């Protein structure tokens, strides 16, 4: 990755042809400034308008503000915001920023949620345990490369069968509970070496994981309650860390199931001098927070955007997928590699609504950061924050950035734009390593997303969603196509 910052920590020089500008914005009075920004963010303006209004007020995509959750709970809510495709990648440059305890931003949940351990996601690559745990996970995923597609296909087959069963009595089906179910099943089997969850976990595991997740990320979320309840929500959700005892019993049941699964991850960690307990807490976090939490956020978003593209794109996808699968004799890695439109659709969904919207990093040294228009000096120790959906919809990079274009990344010119697709604590063209903080499951998620579309359009010609659904769930209606039969 090319650096956007000067390497000198003491006297950063100006990038060429861009005027130096003092970073605009301020943090307001102590306590009251962060409190005002929190209410703007959650209630008065909303997330996107919060950032958009400040871009307009400061005439800059780089500015200072307070980031939620703010008073009482944040370590320090003051951040330098980066909202364009040029400045944003400094957040991925581990020579310029450190990522110690910044996963959830300006506050950190209690380690009680992870057995008293700081798990890999909260560690900076400079910490030895980070390299050990991430290396083990990358090794685990690499060893299961041949198993992933068949395992996910099995889960998807259950998903589509249950959907069709529900559609017999309804014109549409709410697929979010089904996504929760197959995500938990897939994650458990993947990380526990093919072992199936117990009947109890199969029915309640997803709910237990979700409660555990909400208690950790609640302070940066809003429940969408009626306006008159906003003060109560703000006091209970955004002003204090939610206590672990609310989910203690659920977490212990999940932990015990993973611990007794004899996962090869735990066995290898123990051989590397890591206790089984610490390894298992890391495994549960990776399975529950990173994988399960990501899937239940991402797949409804993928469905929503592909549905919104309409039947013309659906027919093009169905034609490409069925043609390639038939010629390759099945859904294989080689077949998926040839599905240029399908992969482009996946990348476009990542671009328009990245499943991980926030990125943080603390400056290791004095930096000079560039936006498209100016240079800005950032001091050592300052917290940098990026809202990813603005960077991936930068109008100076993407034509009609707010529009979903399934073929945006097809062809030579389209492939050049892939370096601006950011969703996994890194660029989509880069790979996770032990030296960076890119999501270790980045390639896995991209593969699963493609397989999801493949299995969908092998079965159906088109589908639509209920855009007027007030419960904010994905309600699907399907147009059945002719099943494609092939020999595997």
């Amino acid at each position: 990755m090319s650096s956007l910052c000067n390497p000198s920590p003491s006297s950063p020089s100006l990038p060429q042809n861009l005027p130096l500008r003092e970073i605009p914005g301020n943090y307001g009075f102590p306590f009251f400034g962060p409190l005002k920004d929190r209410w703007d963010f959650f209630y008065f303006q909303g997330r996107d308008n919060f950032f958009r209004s400040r871009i307009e007020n400061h005439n800059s995509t780089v500015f200072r503000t307070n980031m939620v959750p703010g008073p009482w709970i944040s370590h320090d809510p003051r951040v330098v915001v980066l909202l364009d495709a040029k400045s944003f990648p400094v957040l991925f440059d581990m020579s310029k920023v450190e990522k110690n305890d910044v996963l959830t931003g300006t506050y950190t949940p209690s380690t009680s949620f992870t057995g008293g351990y700081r798990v890999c996601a909260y560690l900076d690559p400079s910490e030895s345990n980070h390299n050990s745990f991430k290396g083990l996970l990358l090794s685990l995923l690499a060893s299961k490369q041949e198993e992933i597609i068949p395992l996910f296909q099995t889960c998807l087959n259950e998903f589509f069968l249950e959907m069709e069963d529900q559609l017999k009595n309804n014109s549409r089906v709410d697929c979010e509970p089904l996504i929760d179910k197959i995500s938990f099943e897939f994650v458990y089997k993947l990380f526990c070496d093919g072992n199936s969850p117990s009947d109890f976990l199969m029915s309640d595991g997803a709910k237990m994981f979700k409660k555990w997740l909400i208690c950790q990320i609640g302070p940066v979320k809003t429940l969408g309650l009626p306006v008159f309840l906003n003060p109560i929500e703000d006091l209970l959700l955004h002003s204090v860390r939610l206590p672990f005892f609310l989910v203690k019993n659920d977490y212990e049941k999940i932990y015990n199931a993973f611990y007794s699964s004899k996962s090869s991850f735990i066995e290898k960690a123990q051989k590397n001098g890591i206790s089984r307990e610490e390894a298992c807490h890391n495994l549960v976090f990776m399975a529950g927070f990173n994988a399960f939490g990501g899937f239940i956020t991402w797949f409804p978003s993928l469905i929503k955007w592909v549905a919104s593209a309409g039947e013309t794109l659906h027919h093009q996808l169905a034609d490409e997928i069925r043609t390639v699968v038939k010629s390759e004799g099945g859904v294989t890695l080689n077949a998926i590699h040839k599905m240029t439109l399908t992969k482009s659709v996946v990348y476009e969904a990542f671009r328009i609504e990245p499943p991980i919207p926030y990125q943080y990093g603390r400056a290791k040294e004095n930096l000079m950061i560039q936006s498209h228009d100016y240079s800005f000096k950032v001091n050592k120790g300052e917290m940098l924050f990026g809202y990813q959906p603005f960077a991936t919809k930068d109008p100076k990079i993407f034509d009609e950035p707010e529009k979903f274009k399934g073929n945006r990344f097809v062809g030579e010119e389209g492939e050049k734009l892939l370096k601006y697709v950011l969703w996994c604590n890194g660029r989509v063209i880069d790979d996770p390593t032990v030296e960076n903080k890119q999501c270790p499951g980045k390639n896995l998620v991209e593969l699963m997303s493609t397989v999801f579309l493949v299995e969908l359009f092998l079965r159906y010609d088109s589908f639509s969603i209920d855009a007027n659904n007030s419960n904010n769930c994905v309600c699907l209606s399907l147009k059945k196509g002719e099943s494609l039969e092939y020999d595997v």
Side-chain angles (χ1 to χ4, degrees):
M1 181 186 303
S2 61
S3 174
L4 296 178
C5 307
N6 187 279
S8 171
S10 56
S11 56
S13 60
L14 294 179
Q16 293 183 351
N17 303 323
L18 289 177
L20 176 65
R21 181 183 178 185
E22 183 176 349
I23 300 174
N26 61 73
Y27 304 114
F29 292 107
F31 182 82
F32 294 103
L35 184 63
K36 176 185 180 299
D37 287 339
R38 185 167 81 194
W39 274 72
D40 282 346
F41 185 90
F42 286 122
Y43 308 119
F44 296 148
Q45 294 178 310
R47 185 170 65 177
D48 283 14
N49 284 335
F50 176 89
F51 297 115
R52 191 173 291 113
S53 66
R54 283 155 178 76
I55 290 175
E56 295 172 354
N57 290 340
H58 302 308
N59 191 29
S60 175
T61 53
V62 178
F63 54 84
R64 299 182 185 277
T65 192
N66 299 289
M67 193 55 195
V68 298
W72 294 308
I73 184 170
S74 290
H75 303 307
D76 182 351
R78 297 173 298 177
V79 299
V80 175
V81 182
L82 313 176
L83 296 178
D84 61 82
K86 192 171 183 180
S87 64
F88 196 98
V90 71
L91 289 162
F92 309 141
D93 189 340
M94 300 313 302
S95 70
K96 302 296 185 288
V97 300
E98 61 93 6
K99 298 270 190 173
N100 183 2
D101 288 333
V102 300
L103 177 68
T104 45
T106 61
Y107 94 107
T108 306
S110 167
T111 55
S112 297
F113 290 97
T114 51
Y117 296 99
R118 287 177 63 239
V119 293
C120 182
Y122 288 99
L123 302 177
D124 185 77
S126 63
E127 300 177 74
S128 60
N129 269 9
H130 174 274
N131 290 1
S132 297
F133 282 121
K134 191 168 184 181
L136 285 170
L137 182 58
L138 290 172
S139 175
L140 175 69
L141 294 175
S143 70
K144 294 181 178 296
Q145 185 174 356
E146 299 299 322
E147 304 171 27
I148 288 171
I149 291 180
L151 174 59
F152 193 48
Q153 283 179 304
T154 300
C155 295
L156 285 176
N157 188 55
E158 297 174 15
F159 172 78
F160 289 119
L161 287 176
E162 289 197 39
M163 277 208 310
E164 291 192 2
D165 188 55
Q166 293 185 34
L167 283 169
K168 291 177 183 177
N169 300 316
N170 299 283
S171 60
R172 61 181 185 270
V173 58
D174 177 10
C175 69
E176 284 203 359
L178 302 181
I179 289 175
D180 292 352
K181 181 180 177 181
I182 67 162
S183 295
F184 181 83
E185 180 182 9
F186 175 81
V187 164
Y188 188 91
K189 288 182 176 179
L190 179 68
F191 287 100
C192 295
D193 298 341
N195 293 314
S196 296
S198 66
D199 292 341
F200 171 74
L201 276 184
M202 196 64 224
S203 62
D204 293 343
K207 295 176 184 176
M208 293 191 291
F209 254 154
K210 289 179 82 169
K211 286 191 290 184
W212 174 72
L213 283 166
I214 289 169
C215 283
Q216 295 175 78
I217 63 176
V220 295
K221 297 290 184 179
T222 182
L223 302 178
L225 300 176
V227 173
F228 70 90
L229 292 176
N230 286 349
I232 297 175
E233 179 194 81
D234 193 59
L235 180 64
L236 297 179
L237 194 63
H238 304 140
S239 303
V240 295
R241 289 176 175 84
L242 297 176
F244 175 61
F245 76 80
L246 294 174
V247 293
K248 183 176 184 293
N249 289 337
D250 290 335
Y251 181 75
E252 287 179 350
K253 290 174 184 176
I254 292 176
Y255 171 86
N256 289 334
F258 276 81
Y259 190 89
S260 61
S261 70
K262 301 184 188 303
S263 168
S264 59
F265 178 89
I266 297 176
E267 302 297 328
K268 290 180 180 178
Q270 188 175 27
K271 290 179 181 179
N272 288 349
I274 300 169
S275 72
R276 294 181 65 86
E277 290 75 17
E278 184 175 6
C280 189
H281 285 295
N282 270 273
L283 183 64
V284 172
F285 189 89
M286 289 183 287
F289 197 107
N290 298 124
F292 174 80
F295 294 159
I296 63 174
T297 300
W298 168 241
F299 283 113
S301 176
L302 176 65
I303 292 169
K304 176 186 71 176
W305 286 109
V306 176
S308 72
E311 291 192 13
T312 299
L313 177 63
H314 296 173
H315 294 157
Q316 292 170 347
L317 285 169
D319 181 64
E320 176 184 79
I321 289 167
R322 295 171 190 180
T323 299
V324 172
V325 169
K326 188 173 183 178
S327 67
E328 292 293 319
V331 182
T332 63
L333 288 173
N334 191 49
I336 287 172
H337 180 70
K338 295 181 178 180
M339 298 177 186
T340 55
L341 176 61
T342 309
K343 291 191 296 181
S344 175
V345 167
V346 170
Y347 292 138
E348 176 68 345
F350 279 123
R351 180 199 70 83
I352 204 165
E353 191 174 355
I356 306 170
Y358 311 131
Q359 296 292 346
Y360 291 86
R362 194 174 297 279
K364 287 183 174 179
E365 56 189 37
N366 294 335
L367 305 177
M368 195 64 67
I369 295 177
Q370 290 180 313
S371 68
H372 292 295
D373 304 308
Y374 299 101
S375 302
F376 302 92
K377 181 180 177 181
V378 173
N379 295 322
K380 179 181 179 180
E382 289 197 271
M383 180 74 89
L384 303 176
F385 162 80
Y387 181 49
Q388 208 150 238
F390 274 37
T392 56
K393 289 185 282 190
D394 188 332
K396 294 190 176 182
I397 300 296
F398 295 104
D399 177 51
E400 296 183 288
E402 299 291 340
K403 184 177 180 180
F404 184 91
K405 295 184 176 182
N407 64 349
R408 189 183 294 273
F409 302 104
V410 173
E412 184 177 350
E413 292 304 312
E415 289 179 0
K416 291 179 181 178
L417 292 173
L418 284 174
K419 64 183 178 181
Y420 299 108
V421 179
L422 322 167
W423 74 268
C424 51
N425 212 348
R427 304 184 303 173
V428 81
I429 62 172
D430 298 326
D431 289 319
T433 68
V434 295
E435 290 83 17
N436 64 29
K437 288 297 291 182
Q438 191 165 27
C439 173
K442 173 251 184 186
N443 294 328
L444 168 67
V445 177
E446 291 172 6
L447 173 62
M448 291 174 61
S449 301
T450 309
V451 173
F452 185 94
L453 294 183
V454 168
E455 294 297 324
L456 176 66
F457 286 106
L458 285 178
R459 290 170 169 83
Y460 311 103
D461 293 324
S462 185
F463 69 103
S464 60
I465 63 171
D466 182 2
N468 298 316
N469 177 37
S470 60
N471 294 324
N472 199 32
C473 294
V474 178
C475 296
L476 279 165
S477 59
L478 302 165
K479 295 185 179 180
K480 187 75 173 178
E482 293 184 4
S483 297
L484 174 67
E485 296 183 359
Y486 53 87
D487 296 324
V488 180

